[in-house]
Amino acid sequence: MLWPRLWALLAAAAAAAEAAIIPEATVRISHLVLESRAREFLYKQDQRYSYECKRAVTASWNYHTNVTRQNKEDLVEAQERFSDWTKQSWEEARRWTSLLPYFRDTEVTRQIKLLSVLGAPALPKAELLKYTRLISEMTAIYDATTVCRYRNPNRCDLAMNRGLNKLLRKSRDYDELKHAWEAWRESTGRVRQRYQQFVQLANKAAIANGFRNMAELAVAQYESENFREDMGAVWEQIRPLYEQLHAYARRKLREVYGSDHVTRRGPLPAHLLGNMWALSWKLDDLFLPFPDVPPVDVTPEMQRQGYTPRRMFELADGFFYSMNLTRVPTSFWRHSVTETPRDRQVVCHPSAWDFCDGTDFRIKHCTSVTQEDLVTVHHEMAHVQYFLQYKNQPYIFRAGANPGIHEALGHAVALSVESPRHLWRVGLLNSPHVTYETEINDLMRRALDKVVFLPYAYVVDLWRWKVLEGSLPEKDWNCGWWDLKYEIQGMRPPEVRSEADFDAASKYHIPANIAYTRYFVSFVMQFQLHKALCMKAGRYVPGDPTMPLHKCDISSSIRAGNAMREMMRLGSSKPWPEVIEAATGERKMDGSALREYFKPLEKWLTEDNEKHGEFVGWRPDGEYCLYEKPQTKDGPQRCQMNTE
Ligand SMILES: *[C@@H]1O[C@H](CO)[C@@H](O)[C@H](O)[C@H]1NC(C)=O
Ligand SMILES: *[C@@H]1O[C@H](CO)[C@@H](O)[C@H](O)[C@H]1NC(C)=O
Ligand SMILES: [Zn+2]
């Protein structure tokens, strides 16, 4: 009962101070009162958040490690409870925002700021319901999409994970691929009208959070004045490497499909890259520089040495311990699921879990004894290490420094772990050295995954932001998409598209409204972190050909571990440029580390493209999308006159 009255009093004091009604000395006192009240408020929020979070995470864990109807029901209930609490907390936090200018303690200010952005749930109940219904209708259309067989149009059973993925990877039939590509988009594109309604509601939600539109809210999470320009600049840094890959891939595709289909200077046909979205070009048989040279694979050696999933996790725990970082607590071993359980159904996708109580951390991973899983285990353990380091921060700061950094760190650790040097150090390879051919193949495999992904990822959110902020009008949504695809990714559709299509929706993250920028950020920053940590470790020395970046392994370096901890322990308590400065000495996202990592491959590609006289870059070789014709002066006007 006391609380609302006190509240009114404090607010009045602040207002009076602002209007200079009360003297300066009183203002200073009310600062202190206000701030200590704010601290009390935040302390209570933190306690309650941790408690509610633990409940929700526990329900989620119970379901994902034991799929039953009961557990699903419990999870839905827990999620509802948690989102009710989040909304309540948001409403309470918002009452403080007008007082922020009076606070001196930046941590208090930052916590209130973070607590007062909620996203879509800020909508009034009826509209929120409509918003979530739209998203679930759109994803239902996406999920239900199947494609009929090219040679048997009556069999329409190809779903993304049942046959379609494989077809795109394996088929070398131009028309079959074109059919699959187009049929997928014909179905997933049916959400266009719903997406229109979705955009309106999303922007309404953004306004309720104090932003002009949802694009502005999404970008604001990156806490950098010019984040969009920064992304563009990073892409320009990486583009020369991408253009070399692009030119090389175009020649290889031309050899298979002929120059009618793949022109010498044109963009790449988007359906030939082995993936529905051309976001990864893993066509090893086509693109590997030395197709007969086998990759490094320590799987047989792991099996020979009697490795178990448990031992793989212990090895990963040791990786961090060797760097003066923290071992996982004993409860981790008791609760984690490291193998496929026999007595129940689980969702096997690997994941790391923070139970929000500062003690309980787990991993769920149906581990197989393979090299690939060994790397994944280290990646997941990097997430747990991050949890461990920021566990003493308040709830709202227990997160990666920006939405991409948790992943970036996991990937950076993986870069060390999969280096031949590391595999040799842990006794799985006979030598830290591999042949030049193996090395170039290996870099190529990684580039076909990590470099070609960047322009794809960049386009997804660039397009989405233009749509959300209204700078790309609805009538041009699809052709605007293809303009970006052409300009940035160097891709063209198999057949000219129009505004009857909605090709952006061919990727789950559009109908499901999942942000994509974090993937771009994590793919760039993993190399940046890798480079910074390798330099601390003294295992990468710029200009020294015996210590190149792509061969570096940071394990057992205490200096690298200490730098990692400096960054991790801050969580999101400070804007991320400050946080990464703690580890890297840099304050910006930077693409040069990625270029450095792939330098031997870039050299190989440049020489190979020169040798074959390939044109590097791309020029238009046709029409890709039909914009709606602008209505000419006499057309519609005459029409109107006739009706008069
Ligand atoms: C799985 O969940 C059910 C409740 O739906 C529970 O009765 C059962 O004990 C759980 N199994 C395990 C192994 O935890
Ligand atoms: C190891 O980490 C601890 C903090 O956990 C730190 O106090 C100590 O100085 C580090 N040791 C070295 C040798 O840097
Ligand atoms: Zn991860």
Side-chain angles (χ1 to χ4, degrees):
M1 286 310 283
L2 181 68
W3 176 242
R5 300 238 319 265
L6 179 69
W7 182 267
L9 223 63
L10 289 171
E18 192 164 35
I21 297 168
I22 47 177
E24 183 64 18
T26 321
V27 175
R28 267 205 302 278
I29 292 167
S30 64
H31 278 152
L32 296 177
V33 177
L34 282 170
E35 251 184 326
S36 78
R37 282 293 165 195
R39 254 183 234 109
E40 256 171 58
F41 164 74
L42 289 172
Y43 177 77
K44 284 196 189 117
Q45 292 282 306
D46 179 45
Q47 297 290 301
R48 178 77 187 272
Y49 246 119
S50 299
Y51 172 79
E52 295 293 342
C53 172
K54 188 178 168 102
R55 276 183 76 125
V57 171
T58 304
S60 182
W61 172 268
N62 288 346
Y63 170 71
H64 286 92
T65 58
N66 180 10
V67 179
T68 66
R69 234 178 68 192
Q70 181 61 48
N71 289 346
K72 174 86 193 190
E73 279 167 23
D74 293 351
L75 172 59
V76 170
E77 197 191 309
Q79 279 169 340
E80 268 167 24
R81 188 188 152 114
F82 189 70
S83 67
D84 285 349
W85 157 246
T86 313
K87 184 142 194 184
Q88 186 190 329
S89 161
W90 172 72
E91 275 161 0
E92 287 169 18
R94 275 199 339 158
R95 294 157 52 184
W96 288 92
T97 49
S98 63
L99 300 174
L100 287 182
Y102 303 98
F103 292 162
R104 304 265 158 91
D105 184 335
T106 53
E107 208 183 290
V108 168
T109 313
R110 187 170 173 79
Q111 285 197 53
I112 291 173
K113 261 194 191 147
L114 292 180
L115 285 170
S116 59
V117 174
L118 181 63
L123 285 170
K125 203 143 200 156
E127 281 175 313
L128 179 58
L129 213 66
K130 192 167 169 213
Y131 174 92
T132 44
R133 200 167 52 226
L134 278 170
I135 290 182
S136 61
E137 284 168 4
M138 289 194 292
T139 50
I141 289 175
Y142 184 97
D143 288 336
T145 289
T146 58
V147 165
C148 308
R149 289 172 190 248
Y150 179 56
R151 283 183 196 79
N152 189 352
N154 297 322
R155 273 188 70 193
C156 301
D157 58 344
L158 291 172
M160 187 49 74
N161 290 324
R162 277 198 327 273
L164 209 45
N165 264 334
K166 193 169 163 204
L167 185 151
L168 283 152
R169 226 171 32 242
K170 299 282 184 212
S171 171
R172 297 287 181 268
D173 180 334
Y174 189 92
D175 291 322
E176 183 183 30
L177 289 166
K178 174 168 172 272
H179 162 78
W181 190 96
E182 287 177 349
W184 178 259
R185 281 159 179 78
E186 195 178 325
S187 171
T188 54
R190 286 175 297 156
V191 302
R192 184 163 176 156
Q193 280 206 332
R194 286 191 177 84
Y195 201 75
Q196 229 172 311
Q197 298 171 36
F198 160 80
V199 166
Q200 284 171 7
L201 287 171
N203 282 335
K204 240 177 155 167
I207 290 165
N209 283 279
F211 294 89
R212 277 180 302 182
N213 55 58
M214 206 34 117
E216 198 181 84
L217 188 153
V219 174
Q221 290 182 16
Y222 288 91
E223 299 187 288
S224 153
E225 294 250 319
N226 306 309
F227 186 71
R228 279 170 76 161
E229 286 80 1
D230 291 350
M231 266 180 94
V234 165
W235 170 238
E236 288 307 322
Q237 282 180 295
I238 292 163
R239 191 178 177 112
L241 167 59
Y242 179 69
E243 286 186 351
Q244 293 291 342
L245 265 170
H246 182 278
Y248 170 78
R250 186 173 46 201
R251 177 169 73 82
K252 292 289 178 180
L253 290 176
R254 203 169 56 237
E255 285 169 9
V256 175
Y257 296 102
S259 51
D260 284 352
H261 287 318
V262 186
T263 60
R264 297 193 72 91
R265 296 154 74 97
L268 304 178
H271 60 306
L272 305 181
L273 276 310
N275 174 282
M276 185 55 93
W277 309 276
L279 60 78
S280 158
W281 307 350
K282 267 185 269 179
L283 296 172
D284 281 6
D285 53 330
L286 214 62
F287 291 152
L288 280 192
F290 307 101
D292 302 328
V293 176
V296 171
D297 183 13
V298 301
T299 303
E301 184 58 22
M302 288 171 71
Q303 278 158 4
R304 199 188 63 78
Q305 292 186 20
Y307 262 79
T308 58
R310 169 82 183 209
R311 190 162 154 209
M312 290 158 73
F313 277 85
E314 283 167 358
L315 195 68
D317 194 38
F319 179 93
F320 296 98
Y321 189 63
S322 77
M323 298 174 72
N324 190 31
L325 291 166
T326 309
R327 279 202 190 282
V328 295
T330 48
S331 62
F332 172 90
W333 300 109
R334 220 169 35 245
H335 296 310
S336 287
V337 172
T338 57
E339 286 179 65
T340 317
R342 297 236 169 76
D343 56 347
R344 58 206 140 115
Q345 203 195 326
V346 299
V347 181
C348 262
H349 192 75
S351 48
W353 297 66
D354 179 348
F355 283 70
C356 323
D357 62 2
T359 57
D360 198 345
F361 308 96
R362 306 178 194 176
I363 282 175
K364 167 181 71 65
H365 185 11
C366 306
T367 319
S368 322
V369 178
T370 61
Q371 172 171 326
E372 191 187 344
D373 276 11
L374 184 69
V375 175
T376 306
V377 165
H378 283 77
H379 173 113
E380 296 304 325
M381 286 292 257
H383 287 315
V384 172
Q385 188 62 221
Y386 213 147
F387 300 153
L388 285 166
Q389 296 300 338
Y390 61 50
K391 68 181 175 142
N392 294 324
Q393 293 283 354
Y395 170 83
I396 195 77
F397 293 157
R398 292 201 295 267
N402 74 31
I405 285 192
H406 235 294
E407 282 308 315
L409 193 80
H411 289 310
V413 163
L415 290 177
S416 276
V417 172
E418 60 197 352
S419 71
R421 177 162 296 273
H422 184 75
L423 296 172
W424 166 73
R425 284 170 79 100
V426 297
L428 290 169
L429 274 186
N430 285 328
S431 151
H433 304 293
V434 294
T435 63
Y436 173 74
E437 288 77 12
T438 308
E439 186 182 319
I440 294 294
N441 267 355
D442 212 36
L443 285 173
M444 179 63 95
R445 253 186 231 99
R446 252 164 243 172
L448 293 174
D449 212 20
K450 300 194 175 195
V451 179
V452 306
F453 176 74
L454 289 166
Y456 177 81
Y458 184 35
V459 167
V460 171
D461 270 1
L462 204 55
W463 177 86
R464 184 155 39 190
W465 293 338
K466 282 169 182 276
V467 164
L468 288 165
E469 74 191 1
S471 64
L472 180 66
E474 200 275 328
K475 66 179 181 49
D476 297 336
W477 276 2
N478 204 45
C479 290
W481 170 256
W482 282 106
D483 283 349
L484 292 173
K485 298 291 277 183
Y486 171 80
E487 189 191 317
I488 293 166
Q489 215 185 352
M491 291 282 162
R492 69 165 177 85
E495 194 87 51
V496 62
R497 309 296 282 170
S498 79
E499 288 302 334
D501 304 310
F502 188 41
D503 294 327
S506 64
K507 185 80 177 89
Y508 182 73
H509 297 64
I510 294 294
N513 190 38
I514 299 169
Y516 222 73
T517 302
R518 65 178 91 162
Y519 304 115
F520 181 91
V521 170
S522 76
F523 273 54
V524 172
M525 292 194 68
Q526 62 182 279
F527 293 99
Q528 202 174 345
L529 291 175
H530 181 64
K531 179 178 151 199
L533 296 171
C534 287
M535 283 176 76
K536 297 260 183 218
R539 311 237 173 95
Y540 160 61
V541 180
D544 179 347
T546 66
M547 289 201 197
L549 187 55
H550 67 287
K551 287 187 182 167
C552 156
D553 163 29
I554 57 171
S555 69
S556 81
S557 164
I558 289 172
R559 287 193 61 208
N562 288 345
M564 236 163 107
R565 181 176 46 250
E566 280 314 296
M567 180 187 109
M568 291 188 290
R569 69 179 182 81
L570 291 171
S572 62
S573 64
K574 293 192 159 60
W576 69 270
E578 280 175 57
V579 175
I580 65 156
E581 194 174 17
T584 66
E586 293 161 356
R587 293 180 56 95
K588 270 196 156 188
M589 190 158 63
D590 182 5
S592 65
L594 180 146
R595 285 286 292 282
E596 178 67 18
Y597 184 92
F598 287 106
K599 208 166 166 184
L601 177 69
E602 187 170 349
K603 182 164 178 289
W604 185 90
L605 281 167
T606 308
E607 287 169 7
D608 191 71
N609 285 330
E610 270 169 18
K611 195 165 81 196
H612 292 90
E614 273 305 305
F615 176 71
V616 175
W618 50 89
R619 297 282 178 269
D621 65 352
E623 198 154 17
Y624 310 127
C625 189
L626 302 172
Y627 274 96
E628 255 179 33
K629 298 268 182 303
Q631 302 193 328
T632 55
K633 247 198 163 151
D634 5 335
Q637 264 177 11
R638 212 173 22 228
C639 231
Q640 235 170 17
M641 283 198 300
N642 287 346
T643 56
E644 266 175 11

